[in-house]
Amino acid sequence: MIGYTMVGTKDLDRAVVFYDAIFTEMGFTRCFKDDQVSFWGDKVNVEAPRFATGYPFNGEIANLGNGGMTAFLIDSTVKIDRLYAIAMGLGGSDEGPPGLRPHYGEGFYAAYLRDPDGNKIAFVCYDVHRTSA
């Protein structure tokens, strides 16, 4: 259903360093980069969902939409913890540390943060009981 998700940035080089580390840990590579935008995902399967960050095409300054967030599905709590630590070490800011969120469902484990531009992202595992912890 999703072709790609894009978040804006005010500093593409900084954003690329941040997301390169995140997606490398998740097993994805950068698919494309020019002076305006960078994409990550499956280089071979062009129909697989991708994630991008870049400068707004209208030339205006990137800003945040209240309530917007991209959640990345991760298969273990250990990986979520590691991704959260990587993000915090690269200038991310906490919006909810890794942990169980039983009000979203039994076994729902997540970490919420903002990238250096303030875009909200999450790492989630829907059922830690069925996946490797």
Side-chain angles (χ1 to χ4, degrees):
M1 176 182 7
I2 303 295
Y4 66 89
T5 298
M6 181 172 173
V7 297
T9 186
K10 296 174 186 150
D11 183 337
L12 186 59
D13 292 333
R14 179 188 66 194
V16 165
V17 168
F18 182 87
Y19 284 110
D20 268 349
I22 296 296
F23 289 117
T24 296
E25 183 67 28
M26 291 171 61
F28 293 103
T29 58
R30 193 173 341 131
C31 301
F32 175 82
K33 182 182 182 304
D34 64 14
D35 60 345
Q36 295 293 309
V37 67
S38 185
F39 280 82
W40 292 265
D42 185 329
K43 274 188 170 183
V44 177
N45 182 359
V46 297
E47 293 183 1
R50 293 183 175 179
F51 182 86
T53 188
Y55 300 120
F57 288 100
N58 65 4
E60 299 292 323
I61 298 293
N63 57 50
L64 307 175
N66 189 26
M69 177 178 66
T70 300
F72 299 103
L73 189 58
I74 307 299
D75 64 0
S76 80
T77 60
V78 171
K79 287 181 186 175
I80 289 174
D81 295 351
R82 192 167 47 241
L83 286 162
Y84 178 84
I86 289 168
M88 293 297 102
L90 290 170
S93 58
D94 176 61
E95 286 283 325
L100 286 168
R101 306 295 198 285
H103 51 288
Y104 293 137
E106 185 182 341
F108 186 93
Y109 189 93
Y112 299 90
L113 61 114
R114 291 191 184 268
D115 72 9
D117 284 295
N119 298 297
K120 191 171 182 181
I121 63 174
F123 306 114
V124 302
C125 180
Y126 293 141
D127 188 355
V128 297
H129 307 297
R130 289 192 330 211
T131 61
S132 62

